[in-house]
Amino acid sequence: MKKVYSKHLVCDVVLPATGATSVLTSMDVAMNALLSALERTEPEFRVVKEWNDPRRYDSSIEAELA
């Protein structure tokens, strides 16, 4: 991917930098324990636009590399 030129579209759970709910943080812990993986965090990408589910479970994001 090239910075600024390439776009990344993500439909996934995105943890806010602060104030994540217990449901979101437990999903992050479960992914780490079961799959050695982590949920995405906001600082990983430069978000161009974000569409959030009102329950904040899923987000659709248009992003570029940070």
Side-chain angles (χ1 to χ4, degrees), residues 13-20 24 39-48 50 52 56 59 61 63-66:
V13 174
V14 178
L15 296 177
T18 60
L24 292 176
E39 294 291 356
R40 289 170 171 60
T41 59
E42 291 173 348
E44 289 182 67
F45 303 102
R46 187 180 81 72
V47 174
V48 175
E50 185 173 349
N52 292 317
R56 189 77 176 166
S59 297
I61 300 159
E64 298 174 343
L65 292 176

Side-chain angles (χ1 to χ4, degrees), residues 4-16:
V4 182
Y5 177 76
S6 300
K7 300 290 183 187
H8 187 72
L9 299 176
V10 178
C11 182
D12 200 355
V13 174
V14 178
L15 296 177

